[in-house]
Amino acid sequence: MWLAFIDESGNTGRKLDDPDQPVHWMAAVLVPEDKAMALSLGLDGIVSGIPGVSPAAEIHGAALFRGIDEWADVPPGERVAVYEAALALLSSHDCVVAHASIAKKYLAGSSSPATSPHVMAFQFLIEKLDQYVAKQNDVLRQRLLLIADETDEHEAFQLDLVSGMQRGTAGVGRGGSITRILDTVHFVDSRRSRGIQLADLVVYALNRSRRIRAKTNPSLGDKALLSMSERYIFPYVRTYRSTWPSAAT
């Protein structure tokens, strides 16, 4: 079985016309269940090796990139090294990445929770996850459990959405029911889940990498993040939903 750790980037709530965050991203890091504990311990080890940082400190993409919160006193070079070491665990623990994204301005004027960028990205993502695991040769990897970062605003709707999609009765423009996702969505506090933290690093890098490519003179930090994404994330993307709508890509 896979554990699918899910997080988001680019969430601006009901403000859908923010020029700095035009796309809502959601990504999943799929971890084989027999690798999950080792992955968590590996991330623990990375954090515990940083002087002045609590061993329990959260590994958060924006905080590492900007040098804020628990990472405020850590030099840029060390923060880059932490980010890189964490992403390198994707390969060594047989993880794969999936993502979906929504161009938010196309949803302006809609008040339905079903068509919020967050919920639509979530639906598209779990559709792709369901299709991906169904094609696995190993029967032990034809099921997955969803583990997502807490989000009070959308949790109830996401729970209902998964339940409805399992029965083939819910979803916006659905392409079919989901059959490989076990139980429901399990929401956890990211501060207590290294898997969610790794998903945060991945989705932050995916979001920012797309914007970096559009820059004429990216900063050194941007260049480092794009380089890490190209080395440690992009090769392990196994399924994705291109930014909706296709006119926005």
Side-chain angles (χ1 to χ4, degrees):
M1 183 177 72
W2 298 96
L3 302 183
F5 294 99
I6 300 172
D7 206 356
E8 63 180 345
S9 180
N11 189 350
T12 53
R14 298 185 182 278
K15 181 176 173 56
L16 302 180
D17 59 351
D18 187 332
D20 295 324
Q21 294 285 353
V23 178
H24 185 108
W25 285 80
M26 191 167 286
V29 172
L30 274 63
V31 186
E33 61 176 321
D34 59 328
K35 303 280 188 177
M37 182 58 70
L39 177 68
S40 182
L41 292 174
L43 291 164
D44 282 345
I46 291 170
V47 177
S48 65
I50 307 300
V53 175
S54 167
E58 183 174 3
I59 311 173
H60 194 270
L64 277 176
F65 187 82
R66 299 174 184 171
I68 58 176
D69 300 335
E70 294 169 294
W71 301 92
D73 296 326
V74 180
E78 291 187 38
R79 298 199 310 271
V80 169
V82 169
Y83 213 132
E84 185 169 19
L87 292 181
L89 295 179
L90 292 169
S91 172
S92 61
H93 291 76
D94 298 335
C95 302
V96 300
V97 173
H99 62 78
S101 50
I102 303 293
K104 293 181 284 189
K105 68 179 182 180
Y106 293 92
L107 298 177
S110 173
S111 59
S112 169
T115 55
S116 72
H118 182 92
V119 173
M120 287 190 70
F122 177 75
Q123 178 191 323
F124 292 161
L125 179 64
I126 63 173
E127 287 174 345
K128 288 295 184 180
L129 292 176
D130 192 79
Q131 294 163 13
Y132 174 74
V133 299
K135 296 176 182 177
Q136 299 304 296
N137 293 325
D138 184 348
V139 294
L140 297 178
R141 295 192 179 183
Q142 291 179 0
R143 297 288 188 272
L144 78 160
L145 189 70
L146 303 175
I147 306 169
D149 191 11
E150 291 179 334
T151 168
D152 293 339
E153 182 181 359
H154 298 294
E155 284 184 17
F157 198 88
Q158 286 174 268
L159 290 166
D160 290 342
L161 177 63
V162 170
S163 178
M165 291 177 70
Q166 287 168 330
R167 292 166 175 76
T169 60
V172 176
R174 62 186 183 277
S177 62
I178 54 176
T179 61
R180 304 289 173 161
I181 293 173
L182 300 175
D183 199 34
T184 184
V185 195
H186 296 269
F187 293 100
V188 300
D189 185 342
S190 64
R191 292 172 296 180
R192 300 186 180 278
S193 171
R194 290 299 191 197
I196 293 292
Q197 292 171 33
L198 183 57
D200 178 89
L201 296 181
V202 167
V203 75
Y204 181 83
L206 287 170
N207 182 5
R208 196 166 185 94
S209 291
R210 180 166 175 169
R211 289 182 285 142
I212 291 169
R213 288 188 172 122
K215 293 184 177 182
T216 304
N217 296 300
S219 67
L220 290 177
D222 279 338
K223 290 179 180 178
L225 188 62
L226 181 58
S227 176
M228 285 189 288
S229 300
E230 291 173 341
R231 182 175 180 183
Y232 297 109
I233 300 177
F234 299 163
Y236 303 100
V237 174
R238 294 291 181 264
T239 185
Y240 64 93
R241 171 71 182 254
S242 297
T243 302
W244 180 94
S246 57
T249 60

